Amino acid sequence: MKALVVGGGVAGPATALALHQVGIEATVLEAWPRSDGEAGSWFTLAPNGLHALDLLGARHLATGIGFPSERNVMAGATGRVLGSMSLGVPLEDGTVAVTMKRSRLAAALLGEAERRGIEVCHASRVTEVASSSDGVTVTLADGSTVRGDLLVGADGVRSMVRQAIDPHAAPARYVGLTNFGGITERTPLAATLPARQWHFVFGSRAFFGAHPTPDGDVVWFVNVPGPAITRAERAARTPEQWQDRLVELLADDAGPAADLVRTGRLELWADNTHDLPRVARWHRDRMVIVGDAAHAPSPSSGQGASLALEDAVVLATCLRDAGTVEEALTAYDTARRDRVERIVAAGARSSSSKIPGRTGRAVRDAMMRLVFRFVVTERSSAWITGHRLRWDPEAAPALPSGS
């Protein structure tokens, strides 16, 4: 079997690695030229995602480019701590979540795929796909075509493969937040933040997050509530002007947020945040979607990349164990849908808490203290980060004597 994997982010090369591991030839088709892995902002890969990488023999890629993150500490605009919780159930060897630049992980996974003999085609933008009962054909922007036995859409929240599977599929939903991200290098402010922790602030006009690095830098992001930013609005301001706007939004909040943004470097700006509440169809004929193409949770969930890595493992094992491709894709859908839709819903609730409501800041902070004490706790979240996949099929139970 030959699989064509559309997308070279995290989901695409991870799926190619998983398919290769079960003996399926895979080719990754990435729309953009080869990247140096430095674009974009930072994120944290939870322990369940690290475990999925472990099953692919690739956990070292994440731990080698990132640094450990153990806790989230949430504060209000006045600086008062609202709650604190761990970043997930550690792996059996004690490994905790890892923070890194997303683009670096994607580049590392693509490099590992090539090292294992998987074909990776950069600057190969897919413009059209066709599927039948016995194979798939994709057309590239240069007019050439590629044939395979299976098409995997790992092409993100605006997936073209999702639309090919179901032309009536619901589009991504804007969650009311625009994302900005950056880094402040070699700053004395790093010493004011506890090591191995994200410091979150439910600010008066924006949500802020910062994490010190082992090298004395601070990586940070800002979620700004409001209408989606248009392309024209994005282009009308320089990165420096966007940065000045962020400083203005954070100026009234306690803590180092405004100073970190003022003295830092913007790496991501005016990025509208979307999720996919529910995608009715994940597969048709010999086409299937994984990762954000199938279920994009809000970044507030902290699970986007981890769920994509889980998808890669589950899809590969279903294709290995099922009798037909159709049976495998149905099994994959059944195994994944309930879990990911619950996490998407949880992420949407988390995003809404970042948007100040009419009740005012003081009321919101009081409510958030109760939420972090009684609702969103380490115990209540363990089902998300403590999830562990199996690579080998579970052994069948022994038959009763005499059967």
Side-chain angles (χ1 to χ4, degrees):
M1 179 181 290
K2 179 178 181 179
L4 306 177
V5 182
V6 181
V10 171
T15 300
L17 288 170
L19 295 176
H20 181 267
Q21 202 155 302
V22 299
I24 297 175
E25 179 186 353
T27 295
V28 179
L29 303 172
E30 164 57 28
W32 298 100
R34 189 180 298 271
S35 166
D36 62 3
E38 292 305 310
S41 61
W42 300 71
F43 83 113
T44 297
L45 188 63
N48 55 303
L50 290 169
H51 181 260
L53 276 180
D54 226 359
L55 297 178
L56 302 178
R59 193 219 300 187
H60 66 284
L61 299 177
T63 55
I65 61 176
F67 47 85
S69 296
E70 293 182 333
R71 298 196 70 77
N72 287 337
V73 177
M74 285 69 66
T78 62
R80 180 176 180 179
V81 173
L82 306 178
S84 172
M85 62 185 298
S86 78
L87 266 163
V89 181
L91 301 184
E92 288 187 2
D93 64 1
T95 299
V96 297
V98 177
T99 295
M100 71 202 81
K101 187 168 273 193
R102 183 183 298 272
S103 53
R104 291 177 186 169
L105 178 60
L109 288 169
L110 285 170
E112 181 67 10
E114 291 180 309
R115 190 188 71 80
R116 297 188 192 182
I118 297 169
E119 184 180 18
V120 176
C121 301
H122 292 275
S124 298
R125 183 176 298 277
V126 176
T127 58
E128 187 177 348
V129 302
S131 176
S132 64
S133 59
D134 61 350
V136 294
T137 302
V138 303
T139 302
L140 304 181
D142 63 5
S144 62
T145 59
V146 186
R147 283 192 55 80
D149 303 298
L150 176 70
L151 180 66
V152 181
D155 49 344
V157 71
R158 296 178 179 85
S159 170
M160 189 198 72
V161 178
R162 181 176 68 243
Q163 291 297 314
I165 291 172
D166 180 7
H168 303 292
R173 176 181 65 180
Y174 176 59
V175 302
L177 297 169
T178 304
N179 195 31
F180 298 78
I183 184 171
T184 306
E185 297 175 311
R186 306 293 181 181
T187 172
L189 293 172
T192 69
L193 298 172
R196 299 164 73 111
Q197 292 185 12
W198 275 102
H199 174 70
F200 294 146
V201 180
F202 289 84
S204 55
R205 292 193 287 172
F207 182 87
F208 177 78
H211 196 306
T213 76
D215 296 327
D217 303 333
V218 177
V219 299
W220 46 263
F221 68 87
V222 186
N223 294 157
V224 179
I229 295 175
T230 66
R231 288 186 179 182
E233 290 172 325
R234 189 179 193 273
R237 290 185 179 181
T238 66
E240 293 75 21
Q241 288 172 325
W242 284 115
Q243 198 163 343
D244 290 342
R245 172 61 176 157
L246 297 179
V247 172
E248 178 185 344
L249 292 174
L250 299 169
D252 294 335
D253 299 335
D259 288 336
L260 283 168
V261 174
R262 181 184 297 110
T263 57
R265 182 179 75 252
L266 204 58
E267 298 180 301
L268 175 76
W269 57 92
D271 182 42
N272 296 320
T273 303
H274 295 81
D275 70 359
L276 279 172
R278 187 177 191 277
V279 176
R281 298 192 67 176
W282 286 10
H283 63 93
R284 178 172 65 82
D285 297 333
R286 290 182 171 239
M287 300 185 293
V288 64
I289 47 178
V290 298
D292 283 355
H295 47 73
S298 162
S300 300
S301 72
Q303 280 290 308
S306 292
L307 291 181
L309 294 169
E310 290 182 3
D311 284 352
V313 172
V314 174
L315 177 61
T317 54
C318 287
L319 286 164
R320 177 197 64 192
D321 299 337
T324 66
V325 171
E326 178 61 29
E327 290 174 358
L329 301 187
T330 299
Y332 158 73
D333 187 315
T334 301
R336 296 297 293 153
R337 185 175 289 276
D338 180 65
R339 171 172 168 78
V340 301
E341 289 184 355
R342 289 177 64 196
I343 292 174
V344 170
R349 291 192 295 271
S350 180
S351 289
S352 66
S353 70
K354 296 178 178 180
I355 302 174
R358 296 181 180 179
T359 55
R361 186 179 63 200
V363 174
R364 182 192 63 179
D365 287 359
M367 292 176 60
M368 295 307 296
R369 284 194 295 272
L370 293 175
V371 167
F372 290 127
R373 183 175 181 182
F374 297 110
V375 182
V376 182
T377 65
E378 295 182 13
R379 182 175 181 179
S380 69
S381 302
W383 68 274
I384 299 176
T385 63
H387 187 67
R388 302 292 182 260
L389 299 172
R390 293 180 59 91
W391 183 261
D392 298 319
E394 295 192 35
L399 292 172
S401 177
S403 298

